[in-house]
Structure formats: C-alpha cells, structure tokens
C-alpha cells in the first residue's frame, strides 16, 4: 500500500493508505471526504463544548438581547422546556447571548467533554506524528461517538436551530463563514504531488511506480487555485532552533572577547614604571599647557 501524507498548504492533515492500482478519481474524492469529515468533527466538538458550558441554542430572534429586552419584546424560548438535559440543569449565563444558560449538570458535562477528547484524538493531526493512518471509518466513528453523547445528555433532542443538531443531521449552513472557506467539495478537489497535479484519469501507480511501500506528500487544493506553494527548505521549528543556536554562539563570543580585553594595560596599577617615577618625584607630570 502506498502511504499518502496529506497536507493543506504546508500543514499536515492526516496519513492515508491506498493501493497503487487505485484510480485517482476515486482517491481524490476519498481524500476530500476524509478532509471535510475531520473539519466536521472539529466544528461539532467546538459547538458541543459550548453546549456543555451554556446549554442549548437560543432562537435567532432572542440572541444577543438582554433579559430586559427579551421581557420588553415579550419573547419566549419555546424549546427551553422541551430540551432539558438529563439529570437537570445548572444555570451558567452565556455572556455572548447565543445559548440559554441552562447547562447540563457536572456529571453530564463530563460525558460530553470526555467524548469530545476521544473524538478529537481519533482525527487529530498528531496521528501523523504517531504514524497512524486515518480512514473514513475512523471519521464516522468519531461522529457516532459525538452523536451518542448528545443523545445521552439530551434524550429529548435539541432545537432544530441548534448548530450541534444541524451538524449531526448534515443541515449546517456554512455560507459566509470562515469554516465554509475551509471545506473543499469533492467535485472541486485536486491532489498535487512534486509540483504536478495528479490527473484523475490515471492510476496512482502511473506517478509513483510499482513500489507499494513508498510514502509521498500530497497536497489537497480547490480546482482553479493553481499549484500549491513549495515546501520551505527548513521547518519553522528548525528555524527557531537555528536562531537560538547562533544567538548562544554570539553570546559566547562576546564573553570570550571580554576575557581577552587588554585595555587594563592602560590602567595605573598595570604601569611597570609607576614605582620608579614615584621615587623620582615625577608622578602625574603632564606636558602641555593647562
């Protein structure tokens, strides 16, 4: 199996294994599906953290309003009584004004937070460092774990306008958001390797040869964005280490120069003829007008 180290720009995303006989049209769609699936897990985790802290999403016409404004406009959250967390709630006001403040109790919060940690670990970029390949089953497993945690804590469900429910039901609207710009639709995805676009009409082996034990770095791009930028010769971390090394060298050289300083030879105590001049009474004689 050929191992693909998938990157977006210069940032590692995940490792993926594919047979050399794989059609690149299928491979591109698979890479895009995993890439977008990881983004979905990250978005869902982010919203579930807010859910655990401040309860369910307020209706859009109540968001950002003060309690006085809500009372004055006679607005009511019809979902507040329907969507009560299991075991009751504790009030923790959302200062941003997006959620109703009726958070799950401590035990249920831990259920959500622990599940978030496990789901993040499954699709984390750290899997690259651990040399673990990610596949679509792992992404689905992470999403299933998150969905299960929500069902445990909110057995009555969430409001249809809550971002957590929208993500779970694949009804999220990312238009006009930064998260939407990160997503690469499968039909618009491209893979690049060694400065060349991998043509979808070919096989993976047409580019990497018959060696199934090779590893290549591929970059995923949107069609029309052109070739991705080249990899830097040294990483940011290596650059920091080099700068630190040369800074230490400079400091060491400065200390050596100070140790070799012979300016002390001009000091009075270093004058080998000072005692003789003192006996002759010619000490501190200065020539020239005063």
């Amino acid at each position: 199996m050929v191992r693909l180290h998938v990157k977006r720009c210069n940032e590692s995303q995940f490792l993926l294994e594919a047979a050399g006989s794989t059609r690149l049209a299928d491979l591109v769609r698979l890479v895009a599906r995993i890439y977008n699936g990881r983004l979905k897990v990250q978005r869902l985790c982010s919203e579930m953290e807010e859910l655990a802290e401040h309860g369910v999403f307020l209706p859009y016409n109540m968001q950002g309003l003060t309690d006085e404004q809500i009372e004055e406009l006679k607005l009511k959250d019809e979902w507040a009584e329907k969507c009560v967390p299991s075991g009751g709630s504790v009030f923790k006001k959302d200062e941003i004004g997006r959620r109703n403040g009726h958070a799950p109790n401590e035990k249920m919060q831990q259920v959500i937070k622990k599940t978030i940690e496990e789901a993040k670990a499954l699709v984390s970029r750290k899997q690259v460092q651990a040399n673990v390949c990610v596949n679509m089953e792992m992404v689905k497993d992470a999403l299933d774990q998150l969905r299960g945690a929500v069902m445990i804590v909110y057995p009555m469900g969430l409001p249809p306008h809550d971002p957590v429910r929208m993500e779970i039901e694949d009804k999220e609207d990312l238009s006009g958001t930064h998260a939407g710009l990160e997503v690469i639709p499968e039909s618009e995805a491209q893979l690049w390797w060694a400065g060349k676009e991998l043509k979808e009409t070919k096989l993976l082996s047409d580019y990497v040869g018959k060696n199934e034990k090779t590893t290549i770095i591929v970059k995923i791009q949107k069609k029309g964005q052109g070739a991705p930028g080249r990899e830097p010769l040294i990483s940011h971390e290596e650059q920091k280490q080099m700068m630190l090394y040369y800074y230490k060298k400079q400091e060491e050289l400065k200390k050596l120069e100070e140790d070799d300083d012979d300016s002390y030879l001009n000091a009075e105590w270093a004058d080998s003829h000072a005692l003789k001049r003192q006996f002759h009474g010619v000490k501190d004689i200065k020539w020239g007008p005063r």
Side-chain angles (χ1 to χ4, degrees):
M1 300 289 278
V2 178
R3 178 163 292 189
L4 288 80
H5 180 174
V6 180
K7 290 189 173 186
R8 172 69 166 150
C9 298
N10 290 326
E11 293 185 348
S12 295
Q13 301 296 321
F14 56 92
L15 297 177
L16 175 68
E17 286 187 335
S21 58
T22 305
R23 292 176 61 247
L24 283 167
D26 297 330
L27 182 60
V28 171
R29 283 195 291 271
L30 176 61
V31 171
R33 203 173 303 137
I34 295 174
Y35 173 78
N36 292 331
R38 291 176 64 257
L39 292 178
K40 187 180 184 69
V41 171
Q42 293 163 12
R43 292 195 305 270
L44 188 50
C45 286
S46 178
E47 288 295 345
M48 284 179 62
E49 287 171 357
E50 292 296 315
L51 178 68
E53 288 293 325
H54 302 293
V56 301
F57 219 59
L58 284 167
Y60 295 116
N61 62 344
M62 293 177 65
Q63 291 183 21
L65 300 180
T66 63
D67 294 338
E68 292 76 15
Q69 289 172 324
I70 291 173
E71 187 176 348
E72 183 180 343
L73 295 170
K74 297 180 180 179
L75 300 175
K76 185 179 179 181
D77 182 5
E78 298 178 355
W79 293 94
E81 296 178 0
K82 300 178 184 178
C83 305
V84 178
S86 180
S89 63
V90 292
F91 188 75
K92 190 173 182 182
K93 185 176 178 61
D94 182 6
E95 298 299 334
I96 303 176
R98 296 172 72 236
R99 296 184 174 273
N100 67 7
H102 297 288
N105 61 32
E106 183 64 27
K107 183 179 178 181
M108 292 296 103
Q109 283 187 28
Q110 289 305 315
V111 170
I112 293 177
K113 291 177 180 178
K114 184 179 179 181
T115 306
I116 287 173
E117 289 179 6
E118 292 174 354
K120 281 184 174 179
L122 272 175
V123 297
S124 171
R125 292 178 182 175
K126 292 181 180 179
Q127 297 282 49
V128 175
Q129 300 171 2
N131 206 31
V132 175
C133 292
V134 175
N135 52 44
M136 200 59 212
E137 285 68 31
M138 294 171 69
V139 174
K140 289 178 179 177
D141 188 23
L143 291 171
D144 288 342
Q145 288 183 26
L146 296 170
R147 185 183 297 108
V150 172
M151 291 176 66
I152 291 171
V153 180
Y154 287 91
M156 301 302 292
L158 295 172
H161 54 270
D162 194 297
V164 173
R165 177 171 170 178
M166 294 173 74
E167 287 283 359
I168 289 173
E169 296 180 351
D170 295 327
K171 296 179 180 178
E172 68 274 17
D173 182 12
L174 303 178
S175 56
T177 65
H178 177 69
L181 296 175
E182 292 182 323
V183 173
I184 301 178
E186 293 179 28
S187 59
E188 299 178 24
Q190 283 182 328
L191 287 182
W192 290 75
W193 173 62
K196 297 179 291 187
E197 179 193 348
L198 302 184
K199 300 295 184 181
E200 295 186 4
T201 55
K202 295 188 176 184
L203 303 178
L204 181 58
S205 58
D206 292 336
Y207 290 94
V208 301
K210 301 297 182 181
N211 184 2
E212 292 277 333
K213 294 184 178 181
T214 188
T215 299
I216 63 172
I217 295 176
V218 297
K219 293 188 177 182
I220 184 170
Q221 289 271 98
K222 272 187 180 181
K223 289 180 180 178
Q225 289 185 334
R230 292 192 174 190
E231 290 278 314
L233 295 177
I234 57 173
S235 67
H236 180 64
E237 186 60 32
E238 289 172 335
Q239 186 179 19
K240 281 170 59 179
Q241 292 299 325
M242 287 174 63
M243 291 177 68
L244 181 62
Y245 172 79
Y246 286 115
Y247 174 77
K248 287 181 178 178
K249 274 291 184 185
Q250 284 182 336
E251 292 300 310
E252 290 174 3
L253 289 173
K254 283 181 183 178
K255 287 182 180 179
L256 288 173
E257 288 176 0
E258 290 173 0
D259 292 342
D260 292 341
D261 186 10
D262 59 0
S263 60
Y264 68 89
L265 295 175
N266 296 323
E268 182 179 344
W269 58 267
D271 186 359
S272 59
H273 300 290
L275 183 62
K276 180 179 178 180
R277 285 200 298 270
Q278 185 174 358
F279 283 135
H280 287 125
V282 291
K283 184 181 179 184
D284 293 333
I285 293 178
K286 294 183 179 178
W287 302 98
R290 296 192 177 184

